[in-house]
Amino acid sequence: MNIKRAKEEIKNTIEAYLLKDSFGEYVIPAIRQRPVLLMGPPGVGKTQIMEQIARECGIGLVSYTITHHTRQSAVGLPFIKEKEYGGKIYSVTEYTMSEIIASVYERMERTKIREGILFIDEINCVSETMAPMMLQFLQCKTFGNQQVPEGWVIVAAGNPPEYNKSVRDFDVVTLDRVKRVDVEADYPVWKEYAYREKLHGAVISYLDIRRNNFYRVETTVDGTLFATARGWEDLSQILYVYEKLDKPVDAQVVGQYIQFPKIARDFSNYLELYHKYHRDYRVDEVLAGNPSPEAISKLHFAEFDERFSVMGLLLSRLGEEFRCCYLEDAFVTELFGRLKALQGSAVKAGSSSLTGVQIREERLLEETAFEKDREAGQLDRMTEHVRRRIISWLGKMEGVSDFEEVRTGFAKETEARQNLIDQTAQKLEYAFDFLEAAFGEGQELILFVTELTAGFFSAWFIRENGCDRYYKYNRGLLFAERQQAIHGQIEEAKDMMTGADWKQAF
């Protein structure tokens, strides 16, 4: 299954394991809560989905890569203790608490969250001395003689043998005590994530044309060559930073992340072409409603890969606008809820309006809650961004004399949100204008709408604010034959393009 389905399966399992009856007891007792064994290729996102699941379920997360541990740190150190049996004193070996189990208790003490996930990565890559202990861990939920605390679900992850020669096979006895979930790389699912995390447009548009290069692992006489989802995401981050620093990105830089020389060279060539398209077509001018006639004519007669790349440029730039609108809307919506609750509390307390003192108290409470949630790992980047803005805004309002000033300040934020939405909607219209001028009502518009539908922020923006031309072309997606023809052309273009083609485009 793909990583999205795997996440759903694991989340459902955790919710089932943590369900309690009317007596406060777990419906599925701990002895029947099989550890989840997540098997899949490296770099596909196994660790990342555990962080997402913990946040979404509101529980803790303790994560360990077991290959970094010795037997002593995982099991605990032995010590001699005297015990009496049948009236006689015996010396008995016991163990100190495992570092891993201790970390779970420390997490509970620090965050006050009593339930969580104990995630053990690379579980089938342990050494010979660690193997029996790992089997005991999966079968009995213990490290040495220390039990995993009640309310903590075990999830272990490993790589199949084709990706790692050092992996160990689990016996039937162990496999019969775990809930196994197999996951594989799936580009369309990863692409949804890529849009949401604002990965670089060059990465997304390149992989749309070269889907076979999304995830590849090959063993050669020169060693193992690989390109992974993790590699593309990390490369995306360095591309953004290098662009800000005005530093070049060549095949050697790409190869530090995509350790498959042929793919690294191919993407490097494409990246040069991508930047050339950006200069030639002047995307910002297009989205300002001022495309040059030369750009329209050039796109009209361009080859398919060039058309696809230019649409990628438009989508990437629009994606930044959609994301800003999403964050602005989330901020204003959250702020409205806070102010409404504060005003209600003031009225109940017999006050006609809010005071600076009340707002300050709210800010201090929010700061405390924010730090607690951040420490507990309960905040994703967007939520953290919004809550920081809430704290900052409340801080600016602490000196007001009455609620009318607060109302005025909030009205300005609402107006700013609407202005941003209107400007973004206009840019989307200009993008349609440009594409229609180049292609009429051709299949390229259907493809453009397909990408808008796939993007998290673009789909949200259109759902909330509408777009007549989006709905017009979206109706074309109902015709399966037309959609299949588009995908067929994409595949044909992929087969025709070679690594040298990007250079020839210059």
Side-chain angles (χ1 to χ4, degrees):
M1 66 180 68
N2 60 51
I3 197 71
K4 185 177 181 180
R5 176 63 190 279
K7 175 185 172 182
E8 181 183 347
E9 287 292 327
I10 296 171
K11 186 176 178 181
N12 289 344
T13 299
I14 289 171
E15 290 176 349
Y17 286 175
L18 298 183
L19 181 66
K20 295 180 180 179
D21 59 22
S22 57
F23 299 102
E25 301 290 335
Y26 291 107
V27 174
I28 301 178
I31 192 65
R32 295 300 174 200
Q33 293 181 7
R34 289 191 172 199
V36 177
L37 179 61
L38 181 61
M39 298 294 291
V44 77
K46 299 188 292 292
T47 304
Q48 201 166 56
I49 66 167
M50 301 316 304
E51 296 172 357
Q52 296 171 9
I53 291 170
R55 283 197 301 267
E56 292 170 16
C57 293
I59 59 179
L61 173 66
V62 171
S63 180
Y64 273 97
T65 300
I66 200 63
T67 50
H68 297 169
H69 279 268
T70 64
R71 187 177 187 277
Q72 286 72 31
S73 65
V75 177
L77 292 171
F79 66 93
I80 305 299
K81 185 176 182 179
E82 291 187 344
K83 287 190 176 182
E84 182 178 341
Y85 297 110
K88 293 184 178 181
I89 301 298
Y90 295 89
S91 295
V92 179
T93 301
E94 291 197 3
Y95 289 88
T96 59
M97 181 175 284
S98 158
E99 177 188 331
I100 297 174
I101 297 295
S103 294
V104 174
Y105 281 109
E106 287 172 4
R107 186 75 173 177
M108 288 192 290
E109 287 294 318
R110 191 168 63 250
T111 65
K112 308 306 178 186
I113 298 175
R114 313 306 298 176
E115 298 175 325
I117 301 167
L118 175 55
F119 178 61
I120 306 295
D121 200 7
E122 298 182 5
I123 195 166
N124 58 342
C125 298
V126 296
S127 64
E128 186 77 33
T129 57
M130 289 275 283
M133 183 269 293
M134 281 294 99
L135 297 180
Q136 179 196 32
F137 168 65
L138 290 176
Q139 293 178 16
C140 306
K141 303 184 181 71
T142 60
F143 280 107
N145 58 358
Q146 302 292 328
Q147 193 81 25
V148 175
E150 188 180 41
W152 281 73
V153 178
I154 296 171
V155 180
N159 301 321
E162 59 264 33
Y163 298 102
N164 193 329
K165 295 180 180 178
S166 64
V167 302
R168 297 179 173 278
D169 290 329
F170 293 115
D171 56 34
V172 174
V173 175
T174 301
L175 291 175
D176 195 35
R177 286 171 167 80
V178 300
K179 181 174 181 176
R180 178 165 175 162
V181 177
D182 290 291
V183 64
E184 59 188 15
D186 186 311
Y187 176 67
V189 168
W190 181 84
K191 185 177 175 180
E192 294 178 26
Y193 167 82
Y195 272 129
R196 180 161 187 163
E197 293 299 309
K198 196 191 168 189
L199 265 64
H200 199 284
V203 170
I204 297 176
S205 58
Y206 171 78
L207 291 176
D208 273 330
I209 298 171
R210 291 277 205 273
R211 292 196 179 196
N212 289 338
N213 290 345
F214 166 59
Y215 199 103
R216 287 180 64 179
V217 178
E218 291 184 10
T219 302
T220 70
V221 293
D222 297 321
T224 302
L225 311 179
F226 57 92
T228 68
R230 182 193 294 123
W232 288 113
E233 183 170 4
D234 291 345
L235 175 61
S236 171
Q237 296 299 316
I238 204 69
L239 286 177
Y240 277 126
V241 176
Y242 270 37
E243 286 173 1
K244 289 181 180 179
L245 297 174
D246 196 27
K247 294 183 180 294
V249 176
D250 57 17
Q252 290 184 333
V253 175
V254 176
Q256 295 162 14
Y257 298 87
I258 306 303
Q259 298 182 44
F260 201 119
K262 181 180 178 182
I263 297 176
R265 289 192 301 269
D266 192 47
F267 177 76
S268 175
N269 293 335
Y270 175 79
L271 185 63
E272 291 184 44
L273 193 58
Y274 182 86
H275 290 312
K276 178 179 182 294
Y277 292 152
H278 197 284
R279 294 190 300 270
D280 290 352
Y281 288 95
R282 299 176 183 175
V283 171
D284 288 335
E285 292 183 13
V286 169
L287 296 182
N290 298 312
S292 67
E294 293 79 10
I296 294 172
S297 177
K298 178 178 172 61
L299 187 60
H300 177 76
F301 293 104
E303 296 295 331
F304 180 81
D305 65 285
E306 183 169 341
R307 298 181 182 189
F308 199 88
S309 296
V310 172
M311 281 192 286
L313 283 165
L314 290 170
L315 288 162
S316 178
R317 187 66 187 84
L318 285 169
E320 295 175 19
E321 301 293 329
F322 295 140
R323 187 175 187 274
C324 288
C325 288
Y326 180 89
L327 290 172
E328 193 69 21
D329 183 77
F331 165 67
V332 172
T333 302
E334 178 70 12
L335 183 59
F336 174 76
R338 298 294 181 90
L339 295 177
K340 185 177 179 181
L342 271 175
Q343 179 69 354
S345 298
V347 171
K348 286 182 180 179
S351 176
S352 59
S353 66
L354 282 173
T355 65
V357 173
Q358 290 170 309
I359 293 177
R360 181 175 183 277
E361 290 176 351
E362 176 66 14
R363 178 184 63 80
L364 292 174
L365 287 172
E366 174 56 24
E367 284 182 343
T368 301
F370 172 78
E371 290 301 328
K372 178 182 176 182
D373 290 342
R374 193 159 68 97
E375 174 69 19
Q378 297 297 306
L379 302 177
D380 59 28
R381 285 188 296 176
M382 288 187 292
T383 304
E384 183 173 335
H385 172 93
V386 170
R387 290 183 64 175
R388 283 186 184 278
R389 283 192 65 186
I390 294 287
I391 293 169
S392 176
W393 195 90
L394 291 174
K396 293 175 183 177
M397 291 290 114
E398 289 180 12
V400 301
S401 57
D402 58 47
F403 187 66
E404 194 56 41
E405 292 183 58
V406 177
R407 194 190 306 276
T408 300
F410 178 74
K412 290 179 180 179
E413 300 293 347
T414 303
E415 183 181 0
R417 175 185 63 175
Q418 190 57 52
N419 288 339
L420 183 60
I421 289 172
D422 292 343
Q423 291 167 12
T424 301
Q426 185 60 68
K427 289 179 180 180
L428 180 57
E429 290 296 324
Y430 285 145
F432 274 110
D433 288 343
F434 177 66
L435 294 175
E436 286 179 351
F439 307 125
E441 296 185 0
Q443 63 185 19
E444 289 80 5
L445 274 297
I446 302 293
L447 190 56
F448 183 66
V449 165
T450 302
E451 295 302 304
L452 288 173
T453 304
F456 174 82
F457 296 110
S458 54
W460 168 85
F461 183 88
I462 293 170
R463 184 174 64 249
E464 293 295 317
N465 302 286
C467 177
D468 290 341
R469 280 197 281 186
Y470 168 85
Y471 294 122
K472 170 186 174 182
Y473 291 108
N474 193 45
R475 283 193 288 271
L477 294 173
L478 298 175
F479 298 96
E481 296 82 6
R482 193 172 187 184
Q483 193 173 12
Q484 289 172 2
I486 294 171
H487 290 308
Q489 187 172 358
I490 294 173
E491 295 301 323
E492 183 180 345
K494 292 180 198 172
D495 294 339
M496 292 174 61
M497 294 293 290
T498 66
D501 288 332
W502 306 127
K503 283 293 187 184
Q504 293 174 0
F506 289 96

